[in-house]
């Protein structure tokens, strides 16, 4: 009897905790021909559909509203998923071979299961108040939450109420609640992701009231969300980027060094800066021109969008000369057209500006002057803006920087072709990137665009967007927030998030801070020092010692080009971020909130120096591997913390046992990169019996080279027994790739025994280990496999 009472109490408790809106009443359900489940309730209609067995979408359409099917974020088409529907008097079960949606009729309740485990469930589901329309879901008390876009809050975002309104935060440091990328995405430590598929502004409440509730709140739009699950973190991000689109490979020079500041005032100053890089033999691949390319002053010139010839008398010639030196030119652009700018009258005449309430060009004041904003949602505005880009591209410009694209000032009363400012604000940067990307597809279909943007939305990665973390303060606090921001946004699909190396805001001359930031930058997706001009951002203008340390970091960046480019390929295929939290490697509760050490790809463990005067730093080594010190080859067992001595010329960097790390010969620009000459490091350890890795290569320029069959994928495989170590080489060659012979310097680490024999392709070589490294020169015809066999005594 007591057991029965207890069960009844638990049932009542579960109803109280997990029930939705208690006034919502189930009416009927039907499965349409397109496998969409429609569930009628007293106050509206649910539409539920599977994209795949790991992605399901739920939409609520309140009575009196019309369903809006279009999404700015989603590109995946729903597939046949062997859907099954079971119904009885109490429940509906709508299931694929993966996710199962269970609907309790009374009291009404929607639950999501994967592999028979409850993922999440609707709490109140849809509701509204005087301001917001809401969707509420349940949490368990132990879930760690990530997401919400780019913010500096600590890795666990739970407990925060996050505004969804893209906004710049000038000079932020260790905490920033509102920044340039505010994505309506929640990722749970239970390996599921929620994407609220709607553009207008609002809030994302991650259990701020501590009642185990996720609440999405918006002013208008779709009441749609997707539930995405994964069998691993890599799989989860793969599924999400299948849904919202993969990032295409950028041009290979993206992984070089950038010369950038706010800003170069003249052609002479720009040319002198690049000459300085060349004279100092510091590699450089691109130069970025800030707003002085179109005007002499910061204020009063925005919107000119044409070369200011007093300062840049021969822009086209300068760009051409830079190109000969392997240096690409990138120009800043903004969507604001000042009313006193050279383009104002043209913009008004061509009807390309957003409007006010009486259908006149909207004008308002902000820091740079009195302005209007280009309405990229008006086909006229889109075409006009793209024609400007096309003119610059035809001058030889290789990349575009879209700044202030939150948009920085965007009053609610401004009207765009498709809706109010508040309805399109959070996707303006997203659709601006789309404009450039689609323009390239139409006019330059074989060329990869470089699109640097300060704001975006869910799915922006598919337009090749390269995001950065905004105007961070040039302080240790500014540096401390950067790994967290990059790790978080990488999990949300934007794998190229990076920071202004050295910090942007403030005239703080701190050589140690600058050096440590650049050393960290070696292991972030884009290496781009950038700052206000009072203190130089370029290493060539720093003190001799600082310049030497920066040069060493930049040279390592270039040496790792084949490894990094392979990471970019993996990102384009699976959405896998370059920077990965430690919990990707080891499922450990303590690691769930760790952003001070991270993985760079699969094989590097990075622990950046985030404070001054550090001589020793504690590092946790995941238990899944044995680790090598990258600089000393010291071997460290996993599953423990260790105090690491910190060197001035580098940050703590470690390599996973069993890793193949391809490295390039030294170069001054990525134009000099030659994948036919590779230094391949294999980190041998007896604990690793088998290991496989890849190196991806193409021409670094052609768009969709992989799809077009103009690539090579080099596969490396090791096999270890007590008697021998084998390393096999095998190439996958694209159908339109012209194979070439490879000259490989194979460096095998930790050979602490004398080989009895060394055979390459069956031929005996006489080589002795150098201390604990064995260096074997190889010639490899990639049309055939190659085996290296090292036999023990």
């Amino acid at each position: 009897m007591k057991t029965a009472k207890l069960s009844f109490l638990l049932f009542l408790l579960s109803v109280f905790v997990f029930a939705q809106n208690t006034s919502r009443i189930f009416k009927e359900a039907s499965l349409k021909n397109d496998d969409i489940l429609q569930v009628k309730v007293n106050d509206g209609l649910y539409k539920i559909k599977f994209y795949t067995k790991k992605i399901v979408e739920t939409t609520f359409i309140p009575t009196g509203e019309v369903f809006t099917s279009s999404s700015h974020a989603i590109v995946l088409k729903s597939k046949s998923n062997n859907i099954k529907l079971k119904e009885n008097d109490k429940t509906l079960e709508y299931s694929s071979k993966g996710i199962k949606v269970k609907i309790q009729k009374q009291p009404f309740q929607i639950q999501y299961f994967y592999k028979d485990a409850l993922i999440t469930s609707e709490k109140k589901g849809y509701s509204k108040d005087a301001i917001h329309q809401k969707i509420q879901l349940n949490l368990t008390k132990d879930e760690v939450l990530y997401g919400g876009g780019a913010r500096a809050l600590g890795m666990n975002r739970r407990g925060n109420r996050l505004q969804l309104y893209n906004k710049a935060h000038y000079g932020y440091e260790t905490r920033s609640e509102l920044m340039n990328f505010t994505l309506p995405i929640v990722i749970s430590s239970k390996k599921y992701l929620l994407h609220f598929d709607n553009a207008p502004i609002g809030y994302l409440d991650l259990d701020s009231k501590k009642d185990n509730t996720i609440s999405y709140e918006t002013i208008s739009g779709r009441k749609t969300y997707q539930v995405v699950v994964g069998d691993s973190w890599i799989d989860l991000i793969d599924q999400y980027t299948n849904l919202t689109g993969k990032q295409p490979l950028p041009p290979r020079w993206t992984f070089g060094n950038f010369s950038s500041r706010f800003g170069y005032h003249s052609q002479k100053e720009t040319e002198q800066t690049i000459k300085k890089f060349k004279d100092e033999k510091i590699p450089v691949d691109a130069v970025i021109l800030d707003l002085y390319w179109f005007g002499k002053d910061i204020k009063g010139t925005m919107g000119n969008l044409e070369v200011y010839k007093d300062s840049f008398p021969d822009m086209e010639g300068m760009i051409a000369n830079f190109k000969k030196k392997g240096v690409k030119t990138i120009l800043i652009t903004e969507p604001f057209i000042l009313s006193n700018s050279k383009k104002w009258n043209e913009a008004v005449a061509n009807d390309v500006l957003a409007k006010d309430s009486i259908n006149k060009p909207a004008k308002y004041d902000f820091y740079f002057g009195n302005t209007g904003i280009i309405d990229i949602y008006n086909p006229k505005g889109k075409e006009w803006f793209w024609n400007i880009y096309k003119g610059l591209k035809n001058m030889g410009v290789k990349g575009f920087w879209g700044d202030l694209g939150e948009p920085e000032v965007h009053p609610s009363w401004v009207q765009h072709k498709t809706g109010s400012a508040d309805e399109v604000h959070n996707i303006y940067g997203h659709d601006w990137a789309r404009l450039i990307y689609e323009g390239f597809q139409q006019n330059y279909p074989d060329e990869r665009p470089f699109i640097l943007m300060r704001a975006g939305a869910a799915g922006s990665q598919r337009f090749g967007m390269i995001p950065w973390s905004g105007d961070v303060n040039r302080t240790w606090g500014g540096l401390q927030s950067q790994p967290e921001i990059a790790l978080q946004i990488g999990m949300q699909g934007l794998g190229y998030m990076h920071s202004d190396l050295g910090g942007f805001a403030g005239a703080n001359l701190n050589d140690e801070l600058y050096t440590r930031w650049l050393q960290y930058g070696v292991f972030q997706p884009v290496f781009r020092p950038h700052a206000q001009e009072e203190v130089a951002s370029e290493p060539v203008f720093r003190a001799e010692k600082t310049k030497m340390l920066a040069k060493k970091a930049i040279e390592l960046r270039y040496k790792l080009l084949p490894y990094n480019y392979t990471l970019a390929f993996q990102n384009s295929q699976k959405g896998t971020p370059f920077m990965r939290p430690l919990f990707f490697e080891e499922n450990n509760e303590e690691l769930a909130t760790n952003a001070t050490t991270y993985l760079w790809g699969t094989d590097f463990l990075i622990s950046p120096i985030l404070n001054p005067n550090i001589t020793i730093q504690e590092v946790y080594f995941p238990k899944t591997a044995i680790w090598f010190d990258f600089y000393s080859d010291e071997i460290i067992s996993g599953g423990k913390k260790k105090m690491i001595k910190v060197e001035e010329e580098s940050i703590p960097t470690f390599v996973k046992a069993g890793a193949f790390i391809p490295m390039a010969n030294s170069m001054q620009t990525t134009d000099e990169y030659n994948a036919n000459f590779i230094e391949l490091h294999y980190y041998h350890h007896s604990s690793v019996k088998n290991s496989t890795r890849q190196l991806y290569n193409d021409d670094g320029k052609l768009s969709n080279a992989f799809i077009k069959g103009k690539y090579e994928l080099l596969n490396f495989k090791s096999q270890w027994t007590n008697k021998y170590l084998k390393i096999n080489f095998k190439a996958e060659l694209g159908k339109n790739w012209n194979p070439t012979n490879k000259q490989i310097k194979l460096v095998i680490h930790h050979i602490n025994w004398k080989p009895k024999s060394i055979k390459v392709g069956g031929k005996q070589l006489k080589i002795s280990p150098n201390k604990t490294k064995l260096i074997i020169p190889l010639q490899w015809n990639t049309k055939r496999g190659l085996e290296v066999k090292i036999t023990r005594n």
Side-chain angles (χ1 to χ4, degrees), residues 165 336 354-356 362-366 371-373 407-416 419-425:
Y165 188 88
F336 297 101
K355 301 295 198 295
D356 61 17
K363 292 197 294 183
Y364 49 89
D365 293 329
F366 78 144
T371 195
I373 186 170
E408 181 157 300
V409 179
H410 203 199
S412 297
W413 52 266
V414 172
Q415 294 295 313
H416 292 268
S420 70
D422 285 350
E423 289 174 314
V424 302
H425 179 85

Side-chain angles (χ1 to χ4, degrees), residues 262 291 298-300 302 338 365-371 408-409:
F262 180 32
L291 47 71
I298 294 176
K299 295 184 178 181
M302 191 170 288
L338 297 191
D365 293 329
F366 78 144
Y367 174 81
F368 298 95
N370 181 258
T371 195
E408 181 157 300
V409 179

Side-chain angles (χ1 to χ4, degrees), residues 281-422:
K281 295 192 179 341
I282 296 178
V284 63
D285 256 274
V287 63
I288 301 180
L289 299 184
D290 213 310
L291 47 71
Y292 297 114
W293 75 266
F294 54 70
K296 186 175 182 179
D297 301 310
I298 294 176
K299 295 184 178 181
T301 61
M302 191 170 288
N304 287 344
L305 292 173
E306 59 186 54
V307 176
Y308 183 59
K309 290 189 177 295
D310 285 358
S311 299
F312 292 86
D314 185 15
M315 175 74 88
E316 198 162 346
M318 182 187 76
I319 292 171
N321 286 331
F322 284 165
K323 181 181 178 182
K324 292 175 185 176
K325 298 173 183 177
V327 177
K328 299 81 185 171
T329 303
I330 300 166
L331 299 187
I332 195 173
T333 56
E334 298 93 356
F336 297 101
I337 309 296
L338 297 191
S339 57
N340 67 334
S341 72
K342 295 178 181 179
K343 287 285 192 288
W344 176 261
N345 290 335
E346 180 185 328
V348 172
N350 284 278
D351 191 29
V352 304
L353 300 172
K355 301 295 198 295
D356 61 17
S357 60
I358 56 173
N359 208 37
K360 299 290 185 182
K363 292 197 294 183
Y364 49 89
D365 293 329
F366 78 144
Y367 174 81
F368 298 95
N370 181 258
T371 195
I373 186 170
I374 299 170
D375 188 357
I376 60 175
Y377 299 97
N378 181 342
K380 295 177 184 177
K382 184 177 181 180
E383 181 181 9
W384 184 83
F385 208 6
W386 171 244
N387 282 335
I388 288 172
Y389 284 115
K390 193 160 58 171
L392 297 172
K393 177 71 178 67
N394 292 340
M395 284 174 50
V397 174
K398 298 301 287 185
F400 295 107
W401 170 13
D403 200 16
L404 314 184
E406 294 77 26
E408 181 157 300
V409 179
H410 203 199
S412 297
W413 52 266
V414 172
Q415 294 295 313
H416 292 268
K417 189 74 172 180
T418 57
S420 70
D422 285 350

Side-chain angles (χ1 to χ4, degrees), residues 69-226:
S69 60
S70 63
S71 164
H72 70 276
I74 306 305
V75 293
L76 186 64
K77 302 300 181 184
S78 184
K79 303 173 184 176
S80 177
N81 288 292
N82 297 311
I83 304 303
K84 294 181 180 179
L85 179 64
K86 296 180 181 179
E87 183 176 6
N88 57 39
D89 292 342
K90 295 181 179 180
T91 61
L92 285 167
E93 284 190 4
Y94 176 53
S95 58
S96 67
K97 288 188 175 180
I99 295 174
K100 178 172 69 177
V101 183
K102 184 176 180 180
I103 300 174
Q104 183 176 280
K105 295 181 178 180
Q106 184 61 37
F108 190 80
Q109 170 69 40
I110 298 179
Q111 297 175 313
Y112 301 93
F113 293 83
Y114 183 61
K115 295 182 177 178
D116 296 322
L118 178 65
I119 307 164
T120 187
S121 59
E122 289 198 352
K123 196 164 194 174
K124 286 187 176 180
Y126 169 78
S127 65
K128 65 178 180 178
D129 57 27
I131 301 173
H132 292 118
Q133 302 177 57
K134 302 179 181 180
I135 299 172
Q136 289 187 340
L137 293 101
N138 287 300
L139 287 169
T140 56
K141 64 180 181 179
D142 58 340
E143 287 178 75
V144 176
L145 299 181
Y146 313 99
R151 305 172 197 258
L153 299 170
M155 282 297 282
N156 188 359
R157 303 287 168 87
R158 188 167 184 163
N160 289 282
R161 178 174 165 79
L162 306 177
Q163 187 177 2
L164 297 174
Y165 188 88
N166 290 354
K167 187 174 179 62
H169 183 174
Y170 175 82
Y172 72 92
E173 295 189 350
T174 56
R175 187 170 180 85
S176 182
E177 297 182 8
L178 188 61
M179 293 176 65
N180 316 67
F181 291 82
T182 59
L183 310 187
I185 294 171
V186 185
I187 304 171
S188 167
S189 55
K190 291 167 63 176
K191 295 189 184 68
Y192 71 86
L193 179 151
L194 299 172
H195 170 237
F196 296 95
D197 188 7
N198 191 39
I201 65 171
Y203 288 87
L204 186 63
D205 193 309
L206 304 182
D207 197 29
S208 68
K209 297 179 182 178
K210 302 190 185 307
D211 59 354
N212 299 323
T213 303
I214 293 173
S215 180
Y216 170 71
E217 306 168 16
T218 183
I219 59 167
S220 63
R222 285 156 52 89
K223 276 66 71 174
T224 297
Y225 63 93
Q226 292 90 28

Side-chain angles (χ1 to χ4, degrees), residues 2 49 267 450 628:
K2 288 182 179 180
K49 71 173 183 178
Q267 180 172 335
F450 178 88
F628 284 72

Side-chain angles (χ1 to χ4, degrees), residues 257-261 264 273-274 277 284 286-289 529 538:
N257 175 35
F258 289 63
S259 178
S260 182
R261 71 162 73 163
Y264 300 116
T273 300
I274 294 303
F277 274 95
V284 63
V287 63
I288 301 180
L289 299 184
E538 308 93 338

